[in-house]
Amino acid sequence: MGTALDAANVRRAFRRAIAKADGINPTEWTPRELRHSFVSLLSDNDVPVEEIARLVGHSSTETTEKVYRKQIRPVIQTGALTMNRIFQG
């Protein structure tokens, strides 16, 4: 096994890797944005929050829901639609 990388080394390696992709400015992306995009795509495609939590390495959905509350759209939309239905009259 190798030694753990610090955050700066991870960002640098990430930017080198994405610099090879057409149409992407590597200074505009970080591993954090990639992780949030990953969660958004899964959530937008109806992957249950329990599965998302497992895939991003959280031991429970509580952390996932707190950290990615803006990305967990179906949960928020369901709540908003329910409230609209309740108070529409």
Side-chain angles (χ1 to χ4, degrees), residues 2-75:
T3 58
L5 296 175
D6 68 19
N9 288 334
V10 171
R11 283 190 300 273
R12 193 171 19 262
F14 177 76
R15 286 192 179 122
R16 276 196 303 266
I18 65 170
K20 298 173 185 176
D22 291 335
I24 295 179
N25 180 349
T27 63
E28 294 176 352
W29 284 86
T30 66
R32 182 175 186 265
E33 279 100 18
L34 184 64
R35 186 174 168 96
H36 281 257
S37 295
F38 175 73
V39 170
S40 291
L41 289 168
L42 294 177
S43 178
D44 287 346
N45 286 280
D46 301 323
V47 174
V49 69
E50 295 82 7
E51 183 68 9
I52 295 171
R54 188 184 68 73
L55 290 168
V56 296
H58 296 152
S59 59
S60 74
T61 62
E62 184 178 337
T63 301
T64 308
E65 291 167 351
K66 181 179 177 184
V67 174
Y68 299 106
R69 63 185 172 274
K70 293 179 182 175
Q71 281 76 27
I72 307 291
R73 289 185 178 89
V75 173

